[in-house]
PDB file of all heavy atoms in Angstrom:
ATOM      1  N   ILE A  35      53.019  15.994  22.608  1.00 91.00           N
ATOM      2  CA  ILE A  35      52.074  16.998  22.111  1.00 91.00           C
ATOM      3  C   ILE A  35      52.521  17.464  20.729  1.00 91.00           C
ATOM      4  O   ILE A  35      51.716  17.552  19.792  1.00 91.00           O
ATOM      5  CB  ILE A  35      51.959  18.185  23.086  1.00 91.00           C
ATOM      6  CG1 ILE A  35      51.348  17.727  24.414  1.00 91.00           C
ATOM      7  CG2 ILE A  35      51.136  19.320  22.472  1.00 91.00           C
ATOM      8  CD1 ILE A  35      51.431  18.761  25.522  1.00 91.00           C
ATOM      9  N   ASP A  36      53.818  17.744  20.594  1.00 93.00           N
ATOM     10  CA  ASP A  36      54.333  18.176  19.298  1.00 93.00           C
ATOM     11  C   ASP A  36      54.086  17.123  18.228  1.00 93.00           C
ATOM     12  O   ASP A  36      53.672  17.443  17.112  1.00 93.00           O
ATOM     13  CB  ASP A  36      55.831  18.487  19.384  1.00 93.00           C
ATOM     14  CG  ASP A  36      56.120  19.752  20.179  1.00 93.00           C
ATOM     15  OD1 ASP A  36      55.182  20.531  20.438  1.00 93.00           O
ATOM     16  OD2 ASP A  36      57.299  19.956  20.537  1.00 93.00           O
ATOM     17  N   MET A  38      51.720  14.881  18.097  1.00 90.00           N
ATOM     18  CA  MET A  38      50.301  14.871  17.748  1.00 90.00           C
ATOM     19  C   MET A  38      49.981  16.009  16.784  1.00 90.00           C
ATOM     20  O   MET A  38      49.291  15.807  15.791  1.00 90.00           O
ATOM     21  CB  MET A  38      49.422  15.017  18.999  1.00 90.00           C
ATOM     22  CG  MET A  38      49.367  13.787  19.835  1.00 90.00           C
ATOM     23  SD  MET A  38      48.205  12.629  19.125  1.00 90.00           S
ATOM     24  CE  MET A  38      47.808  11.682  20.560  1.00 90.00           C
ATOM     25  N   LEU A  39      50.503  17.210  17.060  1.00 93.00           N
ATOM     26  CA  LEU A  39      50.228  18.357  16.195  1.00 93.00           C
ATOM     27  C   LEU A  39      50.911  18.206  14.841  1.00 93.00           C
ATOM     28  O   LEU A  39      50.347  18.579  13.807  1.00 93.00           O
ATOM     29  CB  LEU A  39      50.658  19.651  16.883  1.00 93.00           C
ATOM     30  CG  LEU A  39      49.855  20.025  18.123  1.00 93.00           C
ATOM     31  CD1 LEU A  39      50.452  21.247  18.801  1.00 93.00           C
ATOM     32  CD2 LEU A  39      48.392  20.243  17.787  1.00 93.00           C
ATOM     33  N   ILE A  40      52.108  17.658  14.824  1.00 93.00           N
ATOM     34  CA  ILE A  40      52.836  17.441  13.575  1.00 93.00           C
ATOM     35  C   ILE A  40      52.093  16.443  12.696  1.00 93.00           C
ATOM     36  O   ILE A  40      52.184  16.478  11.471  1.00 93.00           O
ATOM     37  CB  ILE A  40      54.286  16.989  13.860  1.00 93.00           C
ATOM     38  CG1 ILE A  40      55.100  18.185  14.360  1.00 93.00           C
ATOM     39  CG2 ILE A  40      54.936  16.366  12.637  1.00 93.00           C
ATOM     40  CD1 ILE A  40      56.471  17.827  14.888  1.00 93.00           C
ATOM     41  N   GLY A  42      49.116  16.557  11.998  1.00 86.00           N
ATOM     42  CA  GLY A  42      48.083  17.268  11.260  1.00 86.00           C
ATOM     43  C   GLY A  42      46.689  16.873  11.716  1.00 86.00           C
ATOM     44  O   GLY A  42      46.500  16.257  12.764  1.00 86.00           O
ATOM     45  N   ASN A  43      45.708  17.213  10.909  1.00 86.00           N
ATOM     46  CA  ASN A  43      44.315  16.992  11.290  1.00 86.00           C
ATOM     47  C   ASN A  43      43.718  15.730  10.673  1.00 86.00           C
ATOM     48  O   ASN A  43      42.523  15.517  10.739  1.00 86.00           O
ATOM     49  CB  ASN A  43      43.471  18.213  10.920  1.00 86.00           C
ATOM     50  CG  ASN A  43      43.466  18.498   9.434  1.00 86.00           C
ATOM     51  OD1 ASN A  43      44.205  17.902   8.665  1.00 86.00           O
ATOM     52  ND2 ASN A  43      42.630  19.432   9.032  1.00 86.00           N
ATOM     53  N   LYS A  49      47.259  19.035   6.537  1.00 94.00           N
ATOM     54  CA  LYS A  49      48.500  19.549   7.123  1.00 94.00           C
ATOM     55  C   LYS A  49      49.137  20.599   6.208  1.00 94.00           C
ATOM     56  O   LYS A  49      49.608  21.629   6.681  1.00 94.00           O
ATOM     57  CB  LYS A  49      49.464  18.391   7.372  1.00 94.00           C
ATOM     58  CG  LYS A  49      50.729  18.800   8.071  1.00 94.00           C
ATOM     59  CD  LYS A  49      51.581  17.596   8.396  1.00 94.00           C
ATOM     60  CE  LYS A  49      52.890  17.999   9.018  1.00 94.00           C
ATOM     61  NZ  LYS A  49      53.765  16.862   9.273  1.00 94.00           N
ATOM     62  N   ILE A  52      47.165  23.811   6.453  1.00 95.00           N
ATOM     63  CA  ILE A  52      47.513  24.517   7.693  1.00 95.00           C
ATOM     64  C   ILE A  52      48.829  25.248   7.514  1.00 95.00           C
ATOM     65  O   ILE A  52      48.946  26.444   7.804  1.00 95.00           O
ATOM     66  CB  ILE A  52      47.569  23.534   8.880  1.00 95.00           C
ATOM     67  CG1 ILE A  52      46.164  22.999   9.191  1.00 95.00           C
ATOM     68  CG2 ILE A  52      48.195  24.187  10.102  1.00 95.00           C
ATOM     69  CD1 ILE A  52      46.143  21.816  10.149  1.00 95.00           C
ATOM     70  N   TYR A  53      49.824  24.547   7.030  1.00 95.00           N
ATOM     71  CA  TYR A  53      51.145  25.156   6.827  1.00 95.00           C
ATOM     72  C   TYR A  53      51.042  26.352   5.881  1.00 95.00           C
ATOM     73  O   TYR A  53      51.566  27.432   6.166  1.00 95.00           O
ATOM     74  CB  TYR A  53      52.114  24.108   6.272  1.00 95.00           C
ATOM     75  CG  TYR A  53      53.484  24.653   5.989  1.00 95.00           C
ATOM     76  CD1 TYR A  53      54.408  24.828   7.018  1.00 95.00           C
ATOM     77  CD2 TYR A  53      53.864  25.003   4.697  1.00 95.00           C
ATOM     78  CE1 TYR A  53      55.665  25.337   6.767  1.00 95.00           C
ATOM     79  CE2 TYR A  53      55.120  25.506   4.434  1.00 95.00           C
ATOM     80  CZ  TYR A  53      56.020  25.676   5.469  1.00 95.00           C
ATOM     81  OH  TYR A  53      57.267  26.183   5.204  1.00 95.00           O
ATOM     82  N   PHE A  56      49.383  29.382   7.526  1.00 96.00           N
ATOM     83  CA  PHE A  56      50.274  30.035   8.484  1.00 96.00           C
ATOM     84  C   PHE A  56      51.368  30.832   7.774  1.00 96.00           C
ATOM     85  O   PHE A  56      51.800  31.872   8.258  1.00 96.00           O
ATOM     86  CB  PHE A  56      50.891  29.007   9.432  1.00 96.00           C
ATOM     87  CG  PHE A  56      50.045  28.694  10.629  1.00 96.00           C
ATOM     88  CD1 PHE A  56      48.831  28.055  10.487  1.00 96.00           C
ATOM     89  CD2 PHE A  56      50.470  29.019  11.907  1.00 96.00           C
ATOM     90  CE1 PHE A  56      48.041  27.757  11.585  1.00 96.00           C
ATOM     91  CE2 PHE A  56      49.689  28.735  13.014  1.00 96.00           C
ATOM     92  CZ  PHE A  56      48.465  28.099  12.855  1.00 96.00           C
ATOM     93  N   CYS A  65      44.606  32.626  12.594  1.00 97.00           N
ATOM     94  CA  CYS A  65      45.123  31.252  12.556  1.00 97.00           C
ATOM     95  C   CYS A  65      44.315  30.338  13.474  1.00 97.00           C
ATOM     96  O   CYS A  65      44.008  29.201  13.119  1.00 97.00           O
ATOM     97  CB  CYS A  65      46.604  31.220  12.924  1.00 97.00           C
ATOM     98  SG  CYS A  65      47.666  31.896  11.630  1.00 97.00           S
ATOM     99  N   LEU A  69      42.184  27.123  12.234  1.00 96.00           N
ATOM    100  CA  LEU A  69      42.375  25.769  12.780  1.00 96.00           C
ATOM    101  C   LEU A  69      41.048  25.188  13.269  1.00 96.00           C
ATOM    102  O   LEU A  69      40.764  24.005  13.052  1.00 96.00           O
ATOM    103  CB  LEU A  69      43.396  25.785  13.912  1.00 96.00           C
ATOM    104  CG  LEU A  69      44.840  26.008  13.497  1.00 96.00           C
ATOM    105  CD1 LEU A  69      45.724  26.201  14.727  1.00 96.00           C
ATOM    106  CD2 LEU A  69      45.354  24.860  12.639  1.00 96.00           C
ATOM    107  N   TYR A  73      39.995  21.775  11.476  1.00 94.00           N
ATOM    108  CA  TYR A  73      39.884  20.525  12.236  1.00 94.00           C
ATOM    109  C   TYR A  73      38.424  20.088  12.360  1.00 94.00           C
ATOM    110  O   TYR A  73      38.123  18.906  12.295  1.00 94.00           O
ATOM    111  CB  TYR A  73      40.476  20.694  13.636  1.00 94.00           C
ATOM    112  CG  TYR A  73      41.958  20.418  13.726  1.00 94.00           C
ATOM    113  CD1 TYR A  73      42.903  21.345  13.305  1.00 94.00           C
ATOM    114  CD2 TYR A  73      42.418  19.216  14.254  1.00 94.00           C
ATOM    115  CE1 TYR A  73      44.261  21.086  13.404  1.00 94.00           C
ATOM    116  CE2 TYR A  73      43.769  18.947  14.364  1.00 94.00           C
ATOM    117  CZ  TYR A  73      44.687  19.893  13.935  1.00 94.00           C
ATOM    118  OH  TYR A  73      46.032  19.628  14.038  1.00 94.00           O
ATOM    119  N   ILE A  92      41.585  21.168  21.340  1.00 95.00           N
ATOM    120  CA  ILE A  92      42.022  19.779  21.191  1.00 95.00           C
ATOM    121  C   ILE A  92      42.276  19.177  22.563  1.00 95.00           C
ATOM    122  O   ILE A  92      42.882  19.814  23.427  1.00 95.00           O
ATOM    123  CB  ILE A  92      43.318  19.690  20.359  1.00 95.00           C
ATOM    124  CG1 ILE A  92      43.100  20.213  18.939  1.00 95.00           C
ATOM    125  CG2 ILE A  92      43.840  18.267  20.309  1.00 95.00           C
ATOM    126  CD1 ILE A  92      44.327  20.174  18.067  1.00 95.00           C
ATOM    127  N   MET A 111      43.931  21.877  25.100  1.00 96.00           N
ATOM    128  CA  MET A 111      44.488  23.101  24.524  1.00 96.00           C
ATOM    129  C   MET A 111      43.390  23.808  23.740  1.00 96.00           C
ATOM    130  O   MET A 111      42.724  23.178  22.916  1.00 96.00           O
ATOM    131  CB  MET A 111      45.652  22.770  23.578  1.00 96.00           C
ATOM    132  CG  MET A 111      46.816  22.065  24.246  1.00 96.00           C
ATOM    133  SD  MET A 111      48.074  21.541  23.050  1.00 96.00           S
ATOM    134  CE  MET A 111      48.792  23.113  22.607  1.00 96.00           C
ATOM    135  N   TRP A 113      42.138  26.704  20.905  1.00 97.00           N
ATOM    136  CA  TRP A 113      42.675  26.918  19.563  1.00 97.00           C
ATOM    137  C   TRP A 113      43.774  27.969  19.534  1.00 97.00           C
ATOM    138  O   TRP A 113      44.679  27.892  18.699  1.00 97.00           O
ATOM    139  CB  TRP A 113      41.552  27.246  18.580  1.00 97.00           C
ATOM    140  CG  TRP A 113      40.726  26.040  18.313  1.00 97.00           C
ATOM    141  CD1 TRP A 113      39.421  25.840  18.649  1.00 97.00           C
ATOM    142  CD2 TRP A 113      41.162  24.821  17.703  1.00 97.00           C
ATOM    143  NE1 TRP A 113      39.021  24.575  18.285  1.00 97.00           N
ATOM    144  CE2 TRP A 113      40.076  23.924  17.695  1.00 97.00           C
ATOM    145  CE3 TRP A 113      42.371  24.384  17.172  1.00 97.00           C
ATOM    146  CZ2 TRP A 113      40.157  22.642  17.164  1.00 97.00           C
ATOM    147  CZ3 TRP A 113      42.455  23.104  16.642  1.00 97.00           C
ATOM    148  CH2 TRP A 113      41.352  22.254  16.646  1.00 97.00           C
ATOM    149  N   ASN A 114      43.740  28.924  20.429  1.00 98.00           N
ATOM    150  CA  ASN A 114      44.821  29.908  20.481  1.00 98.00           C
ATOM    151  C   ASN A 114      46.130  29.237  20.918  1.00 98.00           C
ATOM    152  O   ASN A 114      47.196  29.533  20.370  1.00 98.00           O
ATOM    153  CB  ASN A 114      44.461  31.069  21.414  1.00 98.00           C
ATOM    154  CG  ASN A 114      45.426  32.213  21.250  1.00 98.00           C
ATOM    155  OD1 ASN A 114      45.735  32.622  20.134  1.00 98.00           O
ATOM    156  ND2 ASN A 114      45.917  32.731  22.368  1.00 98.00           N
ATOM    157  N   GLN A 115      46.044  28.344  21.902  1.00 97.00           N
ATOM    158  CA  GLN A 115      47.241  27.613  22.333  1.00 97.00           C
ATOM    159  C   GLN A 115      47.753  26.702  21.218  1.00 97.00           C
ATOM    160  O   GLN A 115      48.961  26.588  21.008  1.00 97.00           O
ATOM    161  CB  GLN A 115      46.928  26.779  23.574  1.00 97.00           C
ATOM    162  CG  GLN A 115      46.638  27.607  24.817  1.00 97.00           C
ATOM    163  CD  GLN A 115      46.053  26.760  25.938  1.00 97.00           C
ATOM    164  OE1 GLN A 115      45.152  25.950  25.723  1.00 97.00           O
ATOM    165  NE2 GLN A 115      46.571  26.964  27.147  1.00 97.00           N
ATOM    166  N   VAL A 116      46.827  26.085  20.491  1.00 97.00           N
ATOM    167  CA  VAL A 116      47.220  25.191  19.395  1.00 97.00           C
ATOM    168  C   VAL A 116      47.915  25.978  18.292  1.00 97.00           C
ATOM    169  O   VAL A 116      48.979  25.584  17.804  1.00 97.00           O
ATOM    170  CB  VAL A 116      45.993  24.428  18.827  1.00 97.00           C
ATOM    171  CG1 VAL A 116      46.379  23.625  17.591  1.00 97.00           C
ATOM    172  CG2 VAL A 116      45.390  23.517  19.887  1.00 97.00           C
ATOM    173  N   GLN A 117      47.342  27.122  17.910  1.00 97.00           N
ATOM    174  CA  GLN A 117      47.967  27.902  16.838  1.00 97.00           C
ATOM    175  C   GLN A 117      49.338  28.401  17.257  1.00 97.00           C
ATOM    176  O   GLN A 117      50.261  28.429  16.453  1.00 97.00           O
ATOM    177  CB  GLN A 117      47.058  29.047  16.361  1.00 97.00           C
ATOM    178  CG  GLN A 117      46.932  30.258  17.236  1.00 97.00           C
ATOM    179  CD  GLN A 117      48.091  31.236  17.191  1.00 97.00           C
ATOM    180  OE1 GLN A 117      48.815  31.327  16.214  1.00 97.00           O
ATOM    181  NE2 GLN A 117      48.266  31.959  18.281  1.00 97.00           N
ATOM    182  N   LYS A 118      49.473  28.761  18.522  1.00 98.00           N
ATOM    183  CA  LYS A 118      50.778  29.229  19.012  1.00 98.00           C
ATOM    184  C   LYS A 118      51.813  28.105  18.927  1.00 98.00           C
ATOM    185  O   LYS A 118      52.938  28.314  18.478  1.00 98.00           O
ATOM    186  CB  LYS A 118      50.645  29.719  20.460  1.00 98.00           C
ATOM    187  CG  LYS A 118      51.932  30.275  21.024  1.00 98.00           C
ATOM    188  CD  LYS A 118      51.740  30.782  22.437  1.00 98.00           C
ATOM    189  CE  LYS A 118      53.066  31.289  22.979  1.00 98.00           C
ATOM    190  NZ  LYS A 118      52.990  31.580  24.397  1.00 98.00           N
ATOM    191  N   ARG A 119      51.407  26.907  19.324  1.00 97.00           N
ATOM    192  CA  ARG A 119      52.315  25.758  19.300  1.00 97.00           C
ATOM    193  C   ARG A 119      52.688  25.386  17.864  1.00 97.00           C
ATOM    194  O   ARG A 119      53.841  25.101  17.570  1.00 97.00           O
ATOM    195  CB  ARG A 119      51.654  24.589  20.014  1.00 97.00           C
ATOM    196  CG  ARG A 119      52.524  23.404  20.273  1.00 97.00           C
ATOM    197  CD  ARG A 119      53.593  23.784  21.335  1.00 97.00           C
ATOM    198  NE  ARG A 119      54.181  22.610  21.892  1.00 97.00           N
ATOM    199  CZ  ARG A 119      53.841  22.047  23.036  1.00 97.00           C
ATOM    200  NH1 ARG A 119      52.892  22.569  23.781  1.00 97.00           N
ATOM    201  NH2 ARG A 119      54.459  20.988  23.466  1.00 97.00           N
ATOM    202  N   ILE A 120      51.700  25.404  16.962  1.00 97.00           N
ATOM    203  CA  ILE A 120      51.988  25.091  15.557  1.00 97.00           C
ATOM    204  C   ILE A 120      52.902  26.153  14.972  1.00 97.00           C
ATOM    205  O   ILE A 120      53.836  25.841  14.229  1.00 97.00           O
ATOM    206  CB  ILE A 120      50.683  24.940  14.745  1.00 97.00           C
ATOM    207  CG1 ILE A 120      49.968  23.643  15.158  1.00 97.00           C
ATOM    208  CG2 ILE A 120      50.972  24.938  13.240  1.00 97.00           C
ATOM    209  CD1 ILE A 120      48.615  23.429  14.513  1.00 97.00           C
ATOM    210  N   ARG A 121      52.665  27.414  15.303  1.00 97.00           N
ATOM    211  CA  ARG A 121      53.540  28.497  14.821  1.00 97.00           C
ATOM    212  C   ARG A 121      54.982  28.256  15.285  1.00 97.00           C
ATOM    213  O   ARG A 121      55.932  28.420  14.521  1.00 97.00           O
ATOM    214  CB  ARG A 121      53.034  29.846  15.335  1.00 97.00           C
ATOM    215  CG  ARG A 121      53.960  31.019  15.100  1.00 97.00           C
ATOM    216  CD  ARG A 121      54.064  31.456  13.683  1.00 97.00           C
ATOM    217  NE  ARG A 121      52.775  31.917  13.220  1.00 97.00           N
ATOM    218  CZ  ARG A 121      52.436  31.955  11.930  1.00 97.00           C
ATOM    219  NH1 ARG A 121      53.289  31.606  11.014  1.00 97.00           N
ATOM    220  NH2 ARG A 121      51.253  32.372  11.565  1.00 97.00           N
ATOM    221  N   GLU A 122      55.162  27.844  16.539  1.00 97.00           N
ATOM    222  CA  GLU A 122      56.505  27.551  17.055  1.00 97.00           C
ATOM    223  C   GLU A 122      57.152  26.393  16.284  1.00 97.00           C
ATOM    224  O   GLU A 122      58.338  26.440  15.967  1.00 97.00           O
ATOM    225  CB  GLU A 122      56.439  27.220  18.548  1.00 97.00           C
ATOM    226  CG  GLU A 122      56.107  28.410  19.419  1.00 97.00           C
ATOM    227  CD  GLU A 122      55.769  28.032  20.866  1.00 97.00           C
ATOM    228  OE1 GLU A 122      55.757  26.828  21.199  1.00 97.00           O
ATOM    229  OE2 GLU A 122      55.505  28.967  21.652  1.00 97.00           O
ATOM    230  N   LEU A 123      56.365  25.366  15.982  1.00 97.00           N
ATOM    231  CA  LEU A 123      56.888  24.224  15.221  1.00 97.00           C
ATOM    232  C   LEU A 123      57.279  24.651  13.807  1.00 97.00           C
ATOM    233  O   LEU A 123      58.325  24.225  13.293  1.00 97.00           O
ATOM    234  CB  LEU A 123      55.847  23.100  15.169  1.00 97.00           C
ATOM    235  CG  LEU A 123      55.553  22.398  16.502  1.00 97.00           C
ATOM    236  CD1 LEU A 123      54.304  21.526  16.376  1.00 97.00           C
ATOM    237  CD2 LEU A 123      56.747  21.569  16.946  1.00 97.00           C
ATOM    238  N   ILE A 124      56.469  25.487  13.186  1.00 96.00           N
ATOM    239  CA  ILE A 124      56.788  25.979  11.844  1.00 96.00           C
ATOM    240  C   ILE A 124      58.049  26.828  11.886  1.00 96.00           C
ATOM    241  O   ILE A 124      58.954  26.653  11.065  1.00 96.00           O
ATOM    242  CB  ILE A 124      55.595  26.765  11.248  1.00 96.00           C
ATOM    243  CG1 ILE A 124      54.453  25.805  10.909  1.00 96.00           C
ATOM    244  CG2 ILE A 124      56.027  27.548  10.010  1.00 96.00           C
ATOM    245  CD1 ILE A 124      53.161  26.485  10.499  1.00 96.00           C
ATOM    246  N   ASP A 125      58.119  27.745  12.853  1.00 96.00           N
ATOM    247  CA  ASP A 125      59.291  28.621  12.967  1.00 96.00           C
ATOM    248  C   ASP A 125      60.568  27.833  13.241  1.00 96.00           C
ATOM    249  O   ASP A 125      61.653  28.216  12.787  1.00 96.00           O
ATOM    250  CB  ASP A 125      59.079  29.672  14.059  1.00 96.00           C
ATOM    251  CG  ASP A 125      58.031  30.716  13.674  1.00 96.00           C
ATOM    252  OD1 ASP A 125      57.666  30.798  12.475  1.00 96.00           O
ATOM    253  OD2 ASP A 125      57.558  31.441  14.577  1.00 96.00           O
ATOM    254  N   ALA A 126      60.438  26.724  13.967  1.00 96.00           N
ATOM    255  CA  ALA A 126      61.601  25.886  14.268  1.00 96.00           C
ATOM    256  C   ALA A 126      61.952  24.957  13.103  1.00 96.00           C
ATOM    257  O   ALA A 126      62.976  24.273  13.125  1.00 96.00           O
ATOM    258  CB  ALA A 126      61.342  25.060  15.530  1.00 96.00           C
ATOM    259  N   GLY A 127      61.077  24.921  12.089  1.00 95.00           N
ATOM    260  CA  GLY A 127      61.321  24.061  10.930  1.00 95.00           C
ATOM    261  C   GLY A 127      61.029  22.594  11.179  1.00 95.00           C
ATOM    262  O   GLY A 127      61.535  21.729  10.468  1.00 95.00           O
ATOM    263  N   THR A 128      60.181  22.311  12.180  1.00 96.00           N
ATOM    264  CA  THR A 128      59.899  20.910  12.512  1.00 96.00           C
ATOM    265  C   THR A 128      58.453  20.490  12.237  1.00 96.00           C
ATOM    266  O   THR A 128      58.119  19.331  12.443  1.00 96.00           O
ATOM    267  CB  THR A 128      60.216  20.632  13.998  1.00 96.00           C
ATOM    268  OG1 THR A 128      59.478  21.546  14.819  1.00 96.00           O
ATOM    269  CG2 THR A 128      61.702  20.787  14.279  1.00 96.00           C
ATOM    270  N   TYR A 129      57.620  21.408  11.773  1.00 96.00           N
ATOM    271  CA  TYR A 129      56.221  21.039  11.514  1.00 96.00           C
ATOM    272  C   TYR A 129      56.124  20.106  10.312  1.00 96.00           C
ATOM    273  O   TYR A 129      55.390  19.128  10.335  1.00 96.00           O
ATOM    274  CB  TYR A 129      55.364  22.286  11.295  1.00 96.00           C
ATOM    275  CG  TYR A 129      53.888  21.980  11.146  1.00 96.00           C
ATOM    276  CD1 TYR A 129      53.140  21.520  12.232  1.00 96.00           C
ATOM    277  CD2 TYR A 129      53.237  22.129   9.931  1.00 96.00           C
ATOM    278  CE1 TYR A 129      51.787  21.227  12.102  1.00 96.00           C
ATOM    279  CE2 TYR A 129      51.893  21.846   9.790  1.00 96.00           C
ATOM    280  CZ  TYR A 129      51.171  21.391  10.879  1.00 96.00           C
ATOM    281  OH  TYR A 129      49.837  21.099  10.749  1.00 96.00           O
ATOM    282  N   LEU A 130      56.859  20.418   9.259  1.00 95.00           N
ATOM    283  CA  LEU A 130      56.873  19.568   8.071  1.00 95.00           C
ATOM    284  C   LEU A 130      58.133  18.713   8.067  1.00 95.00           C
ATOM    285  O   LEU A 130      59.204  19.179   8.466  1.00 95.00           O
ATOM    286  CB  LEU A 130      56.846  20.407   6.795  1.00 95.00           C
ATOM    287  CG  LEU A 130      55.620  21.269   6.532  1.00 95.00           C
ATOM    288  CD1 LEU A 130      55.784  22.019   5.213  1.00 95.00           C
ATOM    289  CD2 LEU A 130      54.347  20.450   6.515  1.00 95.00           C
TER     290      LEU A 130
END
Side-chain angles (χ1 to χ4, degrees):
I35 295 169
D36 289 346
M38 286 280 203
L39 293 174
I40 286 170
N43 61 351
K49 184 175 176 183
I52 292 168
Y53 178 80
F56 274 66
C65 288
L69 288 172
Y73 272 78
I92 298 179
M111 299 174 72
W113 289 114
N114 192 47
Q115 292 168 314
V116 174
Q117 75 78 26
K118 182 178 178 190
R119 189 69 163 262
I120 289 175
R121 171 71 63 203
E122 290 169 358
L123 292 168
I124 289 172
D125 290 346
T128 56
Y129 185 69
L130 296 180

